[in-house]
Amino acid sequence: MKATFVYTIALVVLLFGSRNGLAQQQKNRPNVLVIYTDDLGYGDLSSYGATKLQTPNIDKLARQGLRFTRAYTTSATCTPSRYALMTGQYPWRKSGTGVLPGDAALIVPTDKISLPKVFKQAGYRTGIVGKWHLGLGTAVAKNWNEAIKPGPNEVGFDYSFIFPATADRVPTVFVENHKVVALDPSDPIEVSYKEKIGDEPTGKEHPQLLKMKASPNHGHDQTIVNGIGRIGYMKGGKTARWTDEEMPLTFLSKAQEFIRAGADEPFFLFYSLTEPHVPRMPSTMFKGKSGLGFRGDAILQIDWTVGEILKALEQSGNLENTLILFSSDNGPVLDDGYEDGAVTQLNGHTPAGVLRGGKYSIFEAGTRVPFIVYHPTLVKSGVSNALVSQVDLLASFANLLGVKLTAEDAQDSQNQLLALIGRSSKGRTSLVLQGASYALVQDNWKYIAPSRGPAVYQLTNIESGHSEQAQLYDLSADPGERVNLAEKYPEKVKELAAALKLLTSAPQ
Ligand code: NG6
Ligand code: CA
């Protein structure tokens, strides 16, 4: 570990030039921009093989940077994946890390190391713009009209401009550094996930008011905001509510402001896009552009956003020294609650590429995601088959920046810096995945623990991966997980089952 660190520093000094020793090295610490999409699949970008959609700006990052083929989130849904990314800890070590309602309390500890704190300790300016979904405040019951804390600022971000949960959950407002943006004090916000509050129409009672229909039985039929039924009830806060078509543009301009506000210190920006999560209601200029329904349009919108961010980096003189990491929090889903054309206008697009399953699934498409790392000099461009996980970012950036971690810190985060910047083709030897059940990837093997549940989730029409039989796949020969080799290799199953059990039962 120590040797790797020394090697890394030597490498960084070598790459950036070592004219003035430490001072120069400090000066040249790269800005880090993580662009984190919501529900983007392994096959959703043209650089990952999509042919029905073109994503030229992201493809450029992939071409000039390093494109990973075996990079994972820890989990097949948002909250646990983000928890792992922020804490460097597998989410199942802590209870209550499943998909959170919009009024949940903060689940990230404020007294432990976090990804933004690593950057803060290294003297960076840190910011988050976009989706949060890790809870706010100390309890479910909270006053949305006062300062709402703890939240991202207490987790390590100097600046935050977020929405609390998901775009399909109330409250549909922005929160900037503890405060709801554009709130009129004479129209206070109230939120409930238990019962209807206020007298505003709901999607269930007044479907004729909707501009986009909710799919049956998904539950997106409560308070209507901007013509879209949401999960949860809210009243008040009329001036503060976002317009979906405008929301990604608001995030973009906040991210650009943060980048341009740069002074002497480098920045870490976690830019957390809402697309292509539901409700997909892209900006008007993108509606209909892809021919694949609003989901495809939302992906084109992501690509455009990346182009605009690259321009902002270039114009502010930061492009030469910004490491950009592009990824997604979990795999793709078509019908996740609204009739938005994702299913009916799919037109042969394959959001999961060659992989099986999707969001929520323990099959590969649940957690194997697009993952691109770009920096003009630090990152060696190409394609990497190294096994890496987003849980590794914390230890890897700590290593890059010389931030010391104790043995208790970020216990599941491995320093994979050299793999992440393309200076090593070796990544992890094993990784635990969480979806409908648990799986262990080790070398080319994937073992899925037996579990009970529907083989196909009816609502989303996604293969879950549930099976009462053990499953063993050779991912190098069979990335689509078609041939179960468990009976053929009982010893391997035994070995991996034991290792997985140990890793998923370990206490916090
Ligand atoms: C599910 C929602 C889905 C989506 C998901 C969270 C239902 C039936 N479905 O519970 O629409 O919001 O939660 O997605 O309620 S995630 O990407 O944030 O994990
Ligand atoms: Ca997600």
Side-chain angles (χ1 to χ4, degrees):
M1 170 103 170
K2 202 165 169 204
T4 326
F5 172 67
V6 172
Y7 173 70
T8 308
I9 288 296
L11 183 79
V12 171
V13 171
L14 191 80
L15 288 165
F16 288 113
S18 58
R19 212 157 28 97
N20 297 321
L22 194 65
Q24 184 71 15
Q25 176 196 318
Q26 295 235 318
K27 192 171 150 220
N28 286 325
R29 287 169 307 161
N31 302 307
V32 174
L33 168 64
V34 174
I35 304 175
Y36 204 53
T37 57
D38 195 0
D39 299 1
L40 188 72
Y42 190 75
D44 271 329
L45 302 173
S46 33
S47 36
Y48 277 83
T51 54
K52 308 277 171 179
L53 278 171
Q54 292 304 314
T55 49
N57 292 302
I58 303 165
D59 294 356
K60 191 171 153 199
L61 289 181
R63 208 171 43 246
Q64 297 180 0
L66 186 60
R67 184 175 72 84
F68 286 79
T69 62
R70 295 181 70 209
Y72 291 84
T73 65
T74 57
S75 314
T77 50
C78 165
T79 301
S81 294
R82 284 161 201 257
Y83 179 86
L85 191 143
M86 290 291 166
T87 63
Q89 194 189 46
Y90 282 143
W92 47 91
R93 293 187 190 276
K94 186 180 160 100
S95 63
T97 52
V99 174
L100 292 178
D103 58 355
L106 177 69
I107 59 166
V108 182
T110 53
D111 58 350
K112 290 193 175 148
I113 191 74
S114 68
L115 182 63
K117 281 184 197 167
V118 164
F119 288 96
K120 255 177 100 77
Q121 284 184 24
Y124 276 56
R125 185 168 63 93
T126 58
I128 174 170
V129 173
K131 175 177 178 171
W132 176 237
H133 211 185
L134 290 166
L136 292 171
T138 52
V140 168
K142 62 184 131 276
N143 188 341
W144 292 91
N145 308 286
E146 292 174 349
I148 307 157
K149 52 172 103 167
N153 296 69
E154 288 64 38
V155 164
F157 290 105
D158 298 321
Y159 174 73
S160 66
F161 189 100
I162 58 159
F163 66 61
T166 59
D168 55 346
R169 284 177 173 76
V170 301
T172 52
V173 295
F174 299 119
V175 181
E176 185 174 30
N177 296 328
H178 306 131
K179 286 290 186 82
V180 171
V181 175
L183 182 64
D184 173 358
S186 68
D187 182 29
I189 295 180
E190 271 179 62
V191 172
S192 171
Y193 276 75
K194 288 206 185 101
E195 69 224 342
K196 187 181 169 190
I197 49 173
D199 52 10
E200 286 178 53
T202 61
K204 190 172 184 175
E205 294 155 355
H206 295 281
Q208 78 284 2
L209 297 177
L210 299 172
K211 67 176 170 191
M212 180 167 62
K213 273 193 186 165
S215 309
N217 306 320
H218 281 249
H220 296 77
D221 59 2
Q222 298 175 352
T223 301
I224 299 173
V225 179
N226 187 31
I228 299 169
R230 315 279 165 164
I231 305 176
Y233 300 98
M234 77 179 285
K235 68 184 240 197
K238 284 265 168 52
T239 54
R241 298 181 187 188
W242 72 58
T243 305
D244 300 76
E245 286 87 336
E246 189 191 82
M247 181 234 288
L249 303 180
T250 305
F251 284 148
L252 173 63
S253 84
K254 291 291 159 186
Q256 288 168 327
E257 271 172 31
F258 181 85
I259 288 169
R260 289 182 182 132
D264 289 339
E265 76 276 63
F267 68 76
F268 167 59
L269 176 61
F270 187 71
Y271 183 25
S272 173
L273 309 185
T274 180
E275 306 103 300
H277 193 280
V278 297
R280 298 157 190 141
M281 187 52 66
S283 303
T284 312
M285 62 178 167
F286 287 102
K287 284 180 184 159
K289 208 171 171 190
S290 68
L292 306 183
F294 284 170
R295 184 174 186 278
D297 299 341
I299 294 171
L300 295 188
Q301 182 166 279
I302 294 176
D303 189 65
W304 174 83
T305 305
V306 169
E308 293 304 297
I309 278 289
L310 287 173
K311 277 186 214 158
L313 287 170
E314 192 164 17
Q315 285 158 7
S316 59
N318 283 306
L319 193 56
E320 288 308 300
N321 196 21
T322 301
L323 185 147
I324 304 172
L325 193 157
F326 178 95
S327 196
S328 173
D329 66 344
N330 54 251
V333 52
L334 295 177
D335 184 355
D336 210 16
Y338 298 94
E339 294 183 7
D340 57 14
V343 175
T344 52
Q345 297 178 59
L346 188 59
N347 289 337
H349 174 56
T350 50
V354 297
L355 306 179
R356 189 169 180 181
K359 181 176 182 178
Y360 310 109
S361 175
I362 191 60
F363 285 134
E364 285 292 278
T367 50
R368 202 197 290 199
V369 284
F371 192 102
I372 297 164
V373 185
Y374 167 85
H375 184 286
T377 49
L378 178 59
V379 175
K380 192 158 176 258
S381 67
V383 176
S384 174
N385 301 322
L387 177 64
V388 292
S389 166
Q390 291 168 4
V391 78
D392 299 327
L393 295 185
L394 196 155
S396 304
F397 283 119
N399 185 259
L400 174 71
L401 301 172
V403 171
K404 293 222 161 55
L405 300 177
T406 66
E408 292 84 55
D409 285 340
Q411 67 199 106
D412 301 307
S413 188
Q414 292 184 3
N415 169 24
Q416 293 295 341
L417 181 65
L418 294 178
L420 289 173
I421 60 175
R423 308 285 159 179
S424 163
S425 55
K426 241 184 82 56
R428 286 173 158 264
T429 47
S430 69
L431 175 69
V432 183
L433 305 173
Q434 178 188 39
S437 74
Y438 288 100
L440 184 73
V441 175
Q442 188 168 299
D443 304 318
N444 287 323
W445 293 109
K446 177 170 176 184
Y447 163 74
I448 304 178
S451 62
R452 279 164 201 255
V456 176
Y457 289 128
Q458 263 204 341
L459 281 180
T460 51
N461 192 25
I462 286 175
E463 285 189 290
S464 64
H466 278 304
S467 165
E468 290 182 31
Q469 312 300 319
Q471 297 174 73
L472 181 73
Y473 298 102
D474 175 357
L475 292 178
S476 59
D478 179 25
E481 296 167 288
R482 294 289 158 192
V483 186
N484 184 1
L485 299 171
E487 275 184 25
K488 198 167 167 195
Y489 298 104
E491 287 307 311
K492 200 33 113 186
V493 167
K494 239 179 164 174
E495 176 201 329
L496 297 183
L500 179 62
K501 198 160 176 210
L502 206 69
L503 281 160
T504 48
S505 57
Q508 197 174 345

